[in-house]
Amino acid sequence: MSTDTPTSPDAGPDPASAWLAAARADVARDPDTITRAFALAARRVGRGPVHPASDPAGVVHGTVDDAARAALVVALADAVGTGPDCADRLTTLYHQGDGAERRGVLRGLDALTERGDVGDLVPAGLDLAADALRANDPSLVAAAVGPFGSRHLDQHTWRHAVLKLVFQGVSLAAVHDLDARADAELDRMARDFAAERRAAGRTVPADLDLLTGTSIRTGTTKD
């Protein structure tokens, strides 16, 4: 049995979950309240990792405040729909927010994608994901390759995002539907990257083996 029990900001009758429930209700009544709620989320629910055992820094699977902000994004979409108004609000939240608030917007798009309700948010979401993928913050890059990114990023952009995570030393467990989207070109890119690392006398990240049909560190065929 796994001991990596997910930590959720709305898992029980405690101050964090009570605050989130009230904040979601506020957003349902008045969508403008999401701006303040986004800013307050970390102080109200904490900044700990969602999966503390396997992802103690919260980079791969996010943090509890990421999850809280994602829930607020869902509440916003329920209140105003998933059309231009919601897209404008999410774009403003993202660009006016810090790194954690930006992750919250991306994780919110993931939540909407997973329930099949991203609506007309795809163009705006792709712009935000592209911005995140240009960042040097590994947690933002990881947030950009969740369910929304897996569903909507073009293959060229997605491949480079995957390799950027490897370069940054982030587990590819962050990549949603990795096996479904991996292709021969990503295999080639992974091998080229490994060759460059070896030529420079540097170690080859183990996760690169996930992108190929063989172990590019040992040359053995994977089962």
Side-chain angles (χ1 to χ4, degrees), residues 17 45-46 53 80 82 87 97 110-111 126 133 138 148 162 171 181 201 211 213:
S17 59
V45 306
V80 304
T82 53
D110 285 344
L126 285 173
L133 292 174
F148 178 85
V162 171
S171 168
R181 289 203 64 171
L211 309 180

Side-chain angles (χ1 to χ4, degrees), residues 23-80:
R24 292 172 70 180
D26 287 344
V27 170
R29 287 190 298 269
D30 179 3
D32 289 343
T33 63
I34 194 171
T35 302
R36 177 170 170 76
F38 245 59
L40 287 173
R43 279 177 280 172
R44 298 298 190 182
V45 306
R47 297 176 173 84
V50 172
H51 291 280
S54 63
D55 180 30
V59 172
V60 175
H61 301 294
T63 58
V64 291
D65 53 317
D66 290 353
R69 292 187 179 102
L72 292 169
V73 169
V74 172
L76 175 68
D78 287 342
V80 304

Side-chain angles (χ1 to χ4, degrees), residues 98-165:
D98 60 15
E101 290 168 52
R102 292 182 176 198
R103 290 197 314 267
V105 172
L106 297 171
R107 300 289 185 186
L109 289 169
D110 285 344
L112 292 171
T113 300
E114 290 190 302
R115 76 173 194 176
D117 192 23
V118 75
D120 296 324
L121 298 175
V122 174
L126 285 173
D127 286 344
L128 301 183
D131 182 86
L133 292 174
R134 290 191 291 268
N136 292 322
D137 180 348
S139 65
L140 267 178
V141 179
V145 292
F148 178 85
S150 177
R151 179 74 60 85
H152 298 290
L153 287 171
D154 66 81
Q155 195 70 359
H156 174 82
T157 302
W158 180 85
R159 291 188 201 106
H160 283 275
V162 171
L163 284 183
K164 184 167 185 174
L165 285 176

